[in-house]
Every structure is written in C-alpha cells, then in structure tokens.
Amino acid sequence: MSRVHIDWTACDGRGLCAELLPELLAEDEWGYPVARGDMNVPPALEPAARQAVDRCPALALKLVSARSA
C-alpha cells in the first residue's frame, strides 16, 4: 500500500490535488490540501492518486511506501 506525501515547502495551494483526489484530500480556505484521514491510498484509489501526483503543478505530491512513512 502507498501513502500520499505532501511537500509543504513546494506546495503553492492551487487545490488541484484536492479536486483530483477528494477521497483523501480537502481544500482549506486558501486552497492548500488538508488530509482526510491517514493519507494511506487504498488500491481502488491508486490510479487517482497517481494522477494527482503527476498533475501537481508545484511537484509537491508524491507516493511513498506506507511502511517507510
């Protein structure tokens, strides 16, 4: 299982990740992502999580092994 990691130093609060992965991320009032739960990615959400990582304009998201997080 993988887990979504947010690099807060790179994130610029565009909110695209929350739009692409609403099951795991919400948006705060400034557009920054807010975790919904523990950020572990269930197998059914793996494609959506990869799409959010690939489309992050600030390259602030990545998938990491849940064991190493």
Side-chain angles (χ1 to χ4, degrees):
M1 182 180 289
S2 59
R3 172 178 171 87
V4 174
H5 172 79
I6 302 168
D7 178 352
W8 295 107
T9 61
C11 182
D12 61 6
R14 295 186 185 203
L16 182 60
C17 58
E19 290 179 28
L20 294 172
L21 198 56
E23 298 86 353
L24 296 181
L25 299 169
E27 230 179 287
D28 72 8
E29 59 207 69
W30 299 284
Y32 288 92
V34 176
R36 295 181 190 257
D38 61 9
M39 300 292 282
N40 287 327
V41 180
L45 290 179
E46 190 82 25
R50 289 195 186 285
Q51 183 181 41
V53 168
D54 291 344
R55 292 190 179 177
C56 176
L59 305 175
L61 292 181
K62 67 180 175 177
L63 290 178
V64 296
S65 169
R67 289 184 275 286
S68 67

